[in-house]
């Protein structure tokens, strides 16, 4: 398309931070070290996980770049960056999480298919841009519309990005029109991240941000928006990112039996400790993140220092110095993660466990075996880390 292109190879990749743990090089997929992840409430852009399906698109001429909005609507339009930037600008603090976060741990139970991720395939950013609800008003769709007069019920986002899963075609995904046209859902066409212009890895010049939903629906490098009568028929909506029971394998799978995954279930992970730790007897700091989908807040985070026999509650916070109260607008960012912290006295070898509870009282499942699925998505089982105490010899 004019102004932007998808390269045919990986010779024009952007620079990346050397501390990132690379899980796949081409296409580039990487996450930060877990301890760096929880050092701040807002994730620095260079430490925000990188998830791509092909070479990173290149903008040659930002003046010529535009997004077409078409489909089951009365007045299709080409929108240029100036049109989008003329709309009211909103800043939304939202955590994006890859559906494959913690996949590596699930694979240890039984092998799964997909990019291996530790616990850092997520990040919390301040996204700046226009609300999709305002953009859709430009093409004659009023706010809070669930169906257009021509029968449009879904908003499909098509990327400039080309991927092998689409046989060289573009990456795409969709969300319901009623969500897209609801200003309270805070769906953005974002051109800023953490107060700066989006960088190439994160979707420059324009991306979708769908808060509370798995990252796969927040399409980067936006090419076009289509209003359709049905859910997007692309690979990543139909043949991926669906939650199957443990009994389904690659021989008996029927993709049509499951709906595309949207909201993320409640999740938490300990980030101040690695999976295996050796240390001295005494006080230990336990820090991590907890997050749920759909705008649900975190009601509590339970920590066990004896493998899950007894529990105590960790303190929760978002912005430094502000008491976090879930569901209170001035006290919390509804789309963002919550960081937690507690201290424990550890004097013998043990397993430290974290589990979070959201405001709908959803709780993480205890065992990964119970939620094992062949694509290794949504590993939200209790997060466990092992601590070995080294007794100093006198």
């Amino acid at each position: 398309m004019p102004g932007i292109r998808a390269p045919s190879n990986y010779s024009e990749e952007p620079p990346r931070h050397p501390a990132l743990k690379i899980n796949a090089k081409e296409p580039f997929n990487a996450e930060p070290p877990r301890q760096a992840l929880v050092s701040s409430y807002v994730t620095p852009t260079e430490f925000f996980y990188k998830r791509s399906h092909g070479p990173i698109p290149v903008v040659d001429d930002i003046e010529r770049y535009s997004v077409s909005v078409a489909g089951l609507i009365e007045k299709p339009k080409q929108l240029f960056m100036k049109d989008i930037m003329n709309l009211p600008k909103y800043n939304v603090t939202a955590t994006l999480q890859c559906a494959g976060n913690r996949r590596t741990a699930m694979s240890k139970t039984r092998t799964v298919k997909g990019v291996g991720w530790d616990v850092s395939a997520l990040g919390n950013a301040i996204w700046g841009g226009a609300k999709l609800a305002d953009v859709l008003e430009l093409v004659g769709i009023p706010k809070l519309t669930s169906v257009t007069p021509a029968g449009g019920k879904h908003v499909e986002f098509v990327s400039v990005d080309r991927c092998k899963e689409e046989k060289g075609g573009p990456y795409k995904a969709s969300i319901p029109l009623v969500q897209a046209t609801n200003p309270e859902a805070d769906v953005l066409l974002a051109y800023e991240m953490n107060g700066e212009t989006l960088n190439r890895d994160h979707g420059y010049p324009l991306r979708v941000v769908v808060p509370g939903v798995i990252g796969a629906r927040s399409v980067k490098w936006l090419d076009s928006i289509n209003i359709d009568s049905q859910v997007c028929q692309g690979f990543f909506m139909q043949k991926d990112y669906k939650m199957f029971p443990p009994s389904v394998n690659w021989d008996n799978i029927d993709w049509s039996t499951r709906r595309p995954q949207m909201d993320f279930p409640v999740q938490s992970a300990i980030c101040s400790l690695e999976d295996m730790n050796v240390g001295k007897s005494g006080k230990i700091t336990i820090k991590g993140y907890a997050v749920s989908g759909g705008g649900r807040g975190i009601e509590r985070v339970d920590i066990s220092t004896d493998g899950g026999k007894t529990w105590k509650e960790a303190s929760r916070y978002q912005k430094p110095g502000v008491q976090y109260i879930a569901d209170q607008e001035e006290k919390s960012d509804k789309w963002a993660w919550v960081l937690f912290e507690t201290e424990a006295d550890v004097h013998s070898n043990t397993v430290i466990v974290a589990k979070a509870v959201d405001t709908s009282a959803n709780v993480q499942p205890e065992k990964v075996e119970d939620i094992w699925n062949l694509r290794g998505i949504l590993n939200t089982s209790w997060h466990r880390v092992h601590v070995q105490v080294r007794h100093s010899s006198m």
Side-chain angles (χ1 to χ4, degrees), residues 32-197:
R34 59 171 78 170
Q35 302 210 11
L37 186 67
V38 289
S39 60
S40 59
Y41 172 58
V42 174
T43 310
T45 303
E46 63 269 26
F47 279 141
F48 205 97
Y49 78 104
K50 318 293 180 206
R51 175 78 178 105
S52 47
H53 294 88
I56 304 299
V58 176
V59 175
D60 293 316
D61 185 353
I62 191 65
E63 299 295 321
R64 292 177 65 212
Y65 168 79
S66 67
V67 172
S68 69
V69 188
L72 300 174
I73 51 174
E74 283 159 35
K75 40 180 192 184
K77 249 191 165 88
Q78 287 284 126
L79 297 173
F80 290 85
M81 282 304 292
K82 64 176 189 305
D83 301 318
I84 289 155
M85 293 175 103
N86 278 339
L87 291 167
K89 182 187 168 194
Y90 292 88
N91 284 314
V92 174
T93 305
T95 299
L96 290 185
Q97 179 172 206
C98 179
N101 191 30
R102 300 182 58 201
R103 178 179 283 134
T104 299
M106 186 177 277
S107 214
K108 285 176 182 158
T109 297
R110 225 186 330 151
T111 307
V112 298
K113 200 168 164 184
V115 176
W117 296 99
D118 187 40
V119 301
S120 304
L122 82 170
N124 187 47
I126 302 167
W127 306 98
K131 285 202 180 180
L132 182 57
D134 289 340
V135 173
L136 293 176
E137 275 194 327
L138 297 178
V139 295
I141 304 176
K143 291 191 169 73
L144 302 176
T145 298
S146 54
V147 56
T148 66
K153 291 182 182 173
H154 299 271
V155 180
E156 179 184 68
F157 310 114
V158 182
S159 176
V160 173
D161 185 24
R162 308 270 147 186
C163 45
K164 67 176 191 303
E165 294 88 349
E166 293 284 8
K167 300 180 173 55
Y171 183 97
K172 48 192 167 181
S174 68
I175 63 171
L177 182 65
V178 70
Q179 182 179 10
T181 57
N182 179 3
E184 297 292 305
D186 287 332
V187 180
L188 293 184
L189 294 193
Y191 43 81
E192 280 183 13
M193 180 180 183
N194 296 340
E196 296 179 344
T197 301

Side-chain angles (χ1 to χ4, degrees), residues 194-247:
N194 296 340
E196 296 179 344
T197 301
L198 274 180
N199 75 13
R200 283 181 56 208
D201 268 329
H202 295 292
Y204 176 76
L206 195 66
R207 71 169 299 164
V208 185
V209 174
V210 187
V213 167
I214 65 167
R217 314 306 176 212
S218 287
V219 173
K220 299 191 282 278
W221 313 290
L222 190 59
D223 173 83
S224 58
I225 296 173
N226 296 316
I227 312 303
D228 207 336
S229 60
Q230 60 177 356
V231 169
C232 168
Q233 294 301 297
F235 179 90
F236 295 98
M237 290 291 285
Q238 298 302 329
K239 297 277 179 80
D240 203 352
Y241 299 125
K242 291 180 174 184
M243 186 64 161
F244 284 89
S247 54

